[in-house]
Amino acid sequence: MKKWLRRVLPFVATVATVGVLVGCATPNAGVEIQGEVWYKERIALPQDAVLTVEVKDVSLMDAPAIVLAQIERSDVSTPAPFQFLINRDQFESGHTYAIGAKITLNDQLLFINTQAYNIDLGSSEPMSVLVQKVGR
């Protein structure tokens, strides 16, 4: 093998590999949605309390929201961080997406978000989702 080819071949292989990987990653690039859920009350919740955070398609007003992703965690404190990494192809152009959050204890609702937290797919800024105590 020629001397110059031995020097160039690893470079060409690296460039080709990177090109293939970048080409594969572009169509299904991930959308990162992150933030925290918090409540104003200065109380510790029981360890059995469960925080549920969902990414929802809320485009249709006369139909239930479609849940794209959901996480649940126990041992809830405030603020409680969340993070989703979802393929971009899961989101449809022209649709509206939002975060929904709630805290339950033994299937009883304790806290829920009462305002809309729409997702800006073009932003990487963390979201701050306030959940309000449910009146009894």
Side-chain angles (χ1 to χ4, degrees):
M1 187 180 276
K2 298 201 185 241
K3 201 179 224 181
W4 66 270
L5 187 55
R6 250 187 249 139
R7 287 188 207 142
V8 173
L9 196 55
F11 175 74
V12 170
T14 301
V15 170
T17 302
V18 169
V20 167
L21 291 176
V22 168
C24 290
T26 303
N28 290 327
V31 173
E32 183 178 14
I33 303 164
Q34 62 178 328
E36 62 186 20
V37 175
W38 62 283
Y39 52 88
K40 292 179 182 180
E41 290 76 6
R42 294 180 171 262
I43 58 172
L45 296 176
Q47 286 191 343
D48 296 359
V50 176
L51 168 66
T52 304
V53 183
E54 298 175 328
V55 175
K56 303 177 184 185
D57 182 341
V58 294
S59 301
L60 301 175
M61 287 205 238
D62 58 345
I66 298 169
V67 177
L68 271 67
Q70 173 182 304
I71 57 172
E72 286 187 346
R73 64 179 269 200
S74 57
D75 195 19
V76 181
S77 60
T78 187
F82 66 84
Q83 182 177 19
F84 295 94
L85 187 57
I86 303 171
N87 284 342
R88 185 166 293 281
D89 62 2
Q90 296 294 312
F91 298 97
E92 294 185 44
S93 178
H95 282 226
T96 303
Y97 299 92
I99 291 290
K102 65 182 178 182
I103 300 173
T104 57
L105 179 62
N106 299 325
D107 294 325
Q108 295 291 315
L109 187 62
L110 299 178
F111 293 85
I112 192 164
N113 65 291
T114 58
Q115 71 179 58
Y117 291 95
N118 289 343
I119 297 169
D120 179 356
L121 296 174
S123 174
S124 61
E125 289 295 312
M127 299 178 74
S128 180
V129 178
L130 173 66
V131 290
Q132 306 265 338
K133 188 168 176 68
V134 174
R136 296 256 181 246

